[in-house]
Amino acid sequence: MSAPQEPVELQRDTADTDGSDGALPPDRITQLVRLLRVAYPHPTFPDAPYERTAKAVQDADAENLLTAGLADLDEAAGGDFGALSDAEATAALERIQDSAFFKLVHSTTVVALYDDHEVWDLLGYEGASYDKGGYLHRGFDDLDWLPAPRIAEYTAEPRVEIGSAANGKAF
């Protein structure tokens, strides 16, 4: 008896119909990483988070959109997407933004790149709060890029109720 499959594995067609293992060749992986750097520009980020995101995009490519999509991107770029400046590359991406390929890359990258713990460290995000006791008693004032909050006690008359619930009680 084989091991039970995870639900995600059950949704993928893992049949190897063309004899390849489905992996992109190195030049296409480089192109995909370049695409990610242009679409999600963080000049100070190292390559590793983008490379892990490119792997996640490949893993999510259940419909085999990447090979044709990257070729279409080269065509939209006039031949070689990797040779374009950032502005020219952005314009090429805008030309294919409605394609299923771009939607795959975008939807996967938003989750994979910003769920990467190295990216969290680079952005100063501490991660989920639950295991640290929540945010309430850990202070919201550690965001030094926000202006100081204006805190004043409300001293006027209590507000008049403006409605009533179905049971007739005012709220």
Side-chain angles (χ1 to χ4, degrees):
M1 180 174 207
S2 64
Q5 290 181 302
E6 293 294 321
V8 171
E9 293 172 334
L10 294 171
Q11 296 174 8
R12 290 189 187 146
D13 180 8
T14 56
D16 186 8
T17 58
D18 62 358
S20 71
D21 62 358
L24 291 174
D27 62 325
R28 289 301 189 191
I29 294 172
T30 300
Q31 183 185 13
L32 181 57
V33 170
R34 169 79 172 123
L35 181 166
L36 298 175
R37 281 200 166 276
V38 170
Y40 301 89
H42 297 282
T44 60
F45 282 14
D47 288 337
Y50 288 104
E51 292 167 351
R52 286 189 293 272
T53 300
K55 174 73 172 102
V57 172
Q58 291 177 77
D59 291 347
D61 185 23
E63 297 179 28
N64 297 319
L65 300 170
L66 285 179
T67 300
L70 290 168
D72 291 345
L73 182 58
D74 269 341
E75 185 177 317
D80 184 6
F81 178 77
L84 299 179
S85 70
D86 286 353
E88 293 167 332
T90 300
L93 289 174
E94 289 172 352
R95 289 192 285 278
I96 65 159
Q97 68 183 347
D98 294 327
S99 68
F101 160 74
F102 187 83
K103 289 176 183 174
L104 166 71
V105 172
H106 172 66
S107 64
T108 306
T109 301
V110 166
V111 175
L113 182 62
Y114 296 110
D115 195 36
D116 187 302
H117 289 213
E118 185 177 357
V119 169
W120 291 5
D121 292 341
L122 292 165
L123 295 174
Y125 176 59
E126 298 172 351
S129 69
Y130 181 77
D131 61 345
K132 297 176 181 80
Y135 291 114
L136 185 60
H137 300 296
R138 292 181 44 230
F140 280 102
D141 59 350
D142 61 349
L143 300 174
D144 57 2
W145 51 272
L146 289 175
R150 293 177 297 153
I151 299 174
E153 290 292 325
Y154 183 75
T155 57
E157 290 292 318
R159 294 181 59 189
V160 176
E161 287 79 14
I162 55 174
S164 61
N167 64 8
K169 292 190 173 186
F171 60 89

